[in-house]
Amino acid sequence: MIKILREVFGVFLPDQKIDSFAELTSGHINDTFLINTNQQRHYVFQKINKGVFPDVPGLIMNKVKISRHLHHKLLSLTEKERQRRVLTFLQTPKGKNFYIDQNGDFWNGTIYIDHSQTFETVTDSKVAYEGGKLFGEFIHLTKDFDPSDLVEVIPRFHDMTYRFEQFEASLLNASQERAQRAQAYIELSKSLKKEMHILQVLKDNGHIRLRVTHNDTKISNALFDMEGNGLCVIDTDTIMPGIIHYDFGDAIRTICNTAAEDEKDLEKVKFNKEFYQAYSQGFLEKTGDAVSDLEREHFPLAAKTMIFIMALRFLTDYLSNDVYYKTSYPEHNLVRSMNQFKLIQSFEEVMEALS
Ligand code: GN1
Ligand code: MG
């Protein structure tokens, strides 16, 4: 790996040298590396999974455009401060934002934001509140960016009909063993189909507007400073047009789960209502009047829908023999799916009270 990293690094930063590197393993799709140099600044380099993303140059253009937009919005800060609040993408001396290596893989790099922390699970309502402010600010600062200027990096990414089509196709080809193990969850998915289409119908009928959305607002995609204040939204690969519910709901999915998304012991998986309220408060403080009444009324349903879409996607991948997500053991995707279904069950107990 070091050989290829040296090649890539040398293209973007010909005057610097790699001191050491470490793989950052939290993502399920791309390969990500922290590169330490012998100078003050460190970097994050990422190999984008071209099997998952059909238009990698378009994806990189999206995130560079949004990053520039956000930098521009924060011009009142010093450059150093801005580079802690917004991802800064590297360019090659020829002005390119990506490099294609000898294997045909696409790489891009950003400045590493040090003195920061991430959370896989949340144990403190301050983190939920700060996360809400951070993702809310992202919606707020991008509201004057025309979403049609962005490429749809994965067409129909959060489209429920599409995800059901993939699920139904996976059922036809699943091994008997996997289909049997997943039987209860297959039935549960079918029973929720209608309710889980409500938001999409509102979107498709034009009742809920398209915005610039991040589309992967799990809490581990938020950087916090060492005091626990929200700092920077990261992992911007999936930025594209979407509805606000995607970003609200996906954050709730991880913030309000008392366990990690792949915790096997389902007793540990519960929905934390207090964190829902803290997140909502922070999110609405920053999005403010940009959120319509209709959008806000559907926030609880957004939470359920985004937990469900991940339950369904993990289940589909399990039934397809794990072709999409990185897995560490054979039942990993089933465990992830069961975990998300347990979270839905726990959420249903409080959903009405949140509406
Ligand atoms: C994937 O690769 P990563 O971890 O950033 C997935 C998201 C899921 C997430 C679940 C392109 O994100 O949609 O919510 O796993 N990204 C893609 O942890 O499918
Ligand atoms: Mg992601």
Side-chain angles (χ1 to χ4, degrees):
M1 190 41 80
I2 186 67
K3 199 167 152 256
I4 205 93
L5 283 176
R6 281 219 179 91
E7 173 190 334
V8 176
F9 187 87
V11 171
F12 282 95
L13 298 157
D15 302 331
Q16 296 190 38
K17 282 223 152 29
I18 299 183
D19 221 20
S20 61
F21 78 94
E23 184 163 3
L24 305 175
T25 54
S26 134
H28 298 348
I29 309 284
N30 297 323
D31 295 336
T32 311
F33 300 89
L34 167 62
I35 311 260
N36 297 308
T37 66
N38 51 6
Q39 293 174 28
Q40 259 188 354
R41 210 168 242 182
H42 306 307
Y43 301 92
V44 175
F45 276 83
Q46 196 163 45
K47 183 172 92 180
I48 309 286
N49 184 327
K50 59 183 181 205
V52 163
F53 295 107
D55 176 7
V56 181
L59 173 156
I60 291 171
M61 215 44 240
N62 274 3
K63 49 186 192 175
V64 168
K65 276 185 188 170
I66 292 297
S67 170
R68 277 193 198 135
H69 180 85
L70 294 174
H71 270 282
H72 193 73
K73 288 274 162 174
L74 300 179
L75 281 178
S76 59
L77 303 177
T78 63
E79 187 184 23
K80 200 167 163 226
E81 191 51 37
R82 250 185 294 132
Q83 290 181 343
R84 295 183 57 72
R85 299 284 313 282
V86 182
L87 288 178
T88 307
F89 287 91
L90 302 179
Q91 283 197 335
T92 68
K94 288 186 181 152
K96 287 213 139 222
N97 294 299
F98 62 86
Y99 168 69
I100 305 176
D101 71 14
Q102 48 186 280
N103 305 318
D105 286 317
F106 290 80
W107 290 83
N108 73 134
T110 52
I111 295 175
Y112 174 68
I113 300 171
D114 56 8
H115 301 295
S116 64
Q117 52 179 334
T118 54
F119 299 94
E120 291 292 326
T121 52
V122 175
T123 51
D124 174 357
S125 65
K126 180 178 176 194
V127 174
Y129 172 66
E130 286 292 322
K133 285 197 335 197
L134 195 61
F135 287 127
E137 189 179 37
F138 178 85
I139 295 281
H140 174 70
L141 294 177
T142 54
K143 76 174 183 215
D144 56 345
F145 189 101
D146 182 356
S148 65
D149 277 354
L150 297 172
V151 169
E152 212 182 335
V153 289
I154 297 185
R156 302 175 75 195
F157 189 52
H158 289 318
D159 182 299
M160 198 57 80
T161 309
Y162 172 58
R163 295 304 181 186
F164 265 97
E165 281 164 13
Q166 289 182 317
F167 165 65
E168 279 148 19
S170 77
L171 282 177
L172 297 177
N173 298 311
S175 73
Q176 216 184 0
E177 190 207 330
R178 288 198 172 209
Q180 232 157 30
R181 277 181 188 248
Q183 190 56 37
Y185 301 96
I186 294 172
E187 295 312 320
L188 205 49
S189 302
K190 289 179 182 166
S191 72
L192 286 166
K193 187 170 181 177
K194 193 154 176 242
E195 185 190 5
M196 295 297 96
H197 271 81
I198 295 175
L199 280 174
Q200 187 179 318
V201 171
L202 287 168
K203 169 181 162 282
D204 291 347
N205 291 343
H207 295 303
I208 299 179
R209 74 179 178 100
L210 282 180
R211 306 165 175 271
V212 173
T213 46
H214 178 282
N215 297 301
D216 190 12
T217 51
K218 54 181 170 185
I219 194 61
S220 56
N221 282 338
L223 288 189
F224 293 82
D225 68 17
M226 298 318 276
E227 282 75 53
N229 302 307
L231 197 57
C232 178
V233 170
I234 59 169
D235 186 21
T236 52
D237 292 352
T238 47
I239 286 179
M240 60 186 142
I243 56 176
I244 195 166
H245 301 88
Y246 299 158
D247 283 3
F248 181 85
D250 199 41
I252 292 294
R253 179 180 77 79
T254 47
I255 288 172
C256 299
N257 191 344
T258 50
E261 74 177 9
D262 63 351
E263 171 60 55
K264 285 183 197 158
D265 180 357
L266 300 186
E267 285 294 308
K268 292 186 181 155
V269 177
K270 294 209 177 71
F271 189 87
N272 185 315
K273 192 172 137 200
E274 186 200 332
F275 292 174
Y276 179 99
Q277 277 149 345
Y279 179 84
S280 304
Q281 192 190 334
F283 190 75
L284 286 169
E285 263 175 39
K286 289 292 181 180
T287 47
D289 54 12
V291 183
S292 73
D293 289 346
L294 183 77
E295 284 174 325
R296 191 169 325 144
E297 280 159 26
H298 286 85
F299 278 1
L301 182 64
K304 186 168 176 181
T305 306
M306 295 311 289
I307 304 169
F308 175 79
I309 207 163
M310 284 315 308
L312 186 68
R313 289 177 59 197
F314 288 141
L315 181 62
T316 301
D317 201 34
Y318 177 69
L319 293 169
S320 312
N321 291 328
D322 313 319
V323 288
Y324 188 84
Y325 295 109
K326 290 180 186 172
T327 50
S328 310
Y329 56 93
E331 305 298 303
H332 204 158
N333 273 317
L334 181 61
V335 164
R336 288 170 174 148
S337 182
M338 288 165 66
N339 177 306
Q340 301 295 292
F341 277 114
K342 172 68 201 297
L343 189 63
I344 292 178
Q345 191 190 39
S346 175
F347 177 64
E348 280 172 340
E349 291 163 18
V350 296
M351 187 173 171
E352 207 141 299
L354 298 173
S355 303

